[in-house]
Amino acid sequence: GFPSGAHQPEIKAAEAARAVANGATEVDVVIDLGAAVAGLWRLVEGELALVREAIGHDVVFKAILETALLETPERIVNACWAAESAGADFVKTSTGYHRAGGATTQA
């Protein structure tokens, strides 16, 4: 789903599983940005959990949040909680491609 986060969860999981099958030891996934902006945190968590399940627990899993789009500390924190609950090992602030902007020191 890079960089838009707009792919369906099953596609993200299949792409991630394929990457691992081809030798990837780390997987970065852009969260569903529309769901995050709408505050649909269970959807964000569900898609990330599906990816985690597809790649197993021996692979480093990073969720990219696009914090400039999320705008508020509350949304960023909620996105972090969703990622953690889904089994992400790390969160990243930005892809660097979104028109809302990139990473900031504050985020």
Side-chain angles (χ1 to χ4, degrees):
F2 188 89
S4 69
H7 291 67
Q8 293 295 312
E10 297 80 11
I11 300 301
K12 289 181 182 183
E15 288 177 333
R18 180 70 175 263
V20 171
N22 287 334
T25 59
E26 297 186 12
V27 171
D28 292 26
V29 174
V30 181
I31 66 171
D32 182 330
L33 300 174
V37 169
L40 301 173
W41 303 113
R42 292 215 182 251
L43 285 178
V44 173
E45 181 182 342
E47 84 162 357
L48 294 174
L50 192 63
V51 173
R52 171 47 94 188
E53 182 180 326
I55 64 172
H57 290 277
D58 294 331
V59 174
V60 176
F61 179 35
K62 297 176 271 183
I64 304 174
L65 308 183
E66 288 301 7
T67 54
L69 179 67
L70 296 180
E71 296 178 328
T72 68
E74 180 183 33
R75 282 185 181 162
I76 294 169
V77 167
N78 285 332
C80 289
W81 284 338
E84 180 184 19
S85 294
D89 297 303
F90 297 94
V91 294
K92 296 174 79 171
T93 54
S94 175
T95 62
Y97 290 96
H98 200 280
R99 69 178 184 271
T104 65
T105 303
Q106 183 180 4

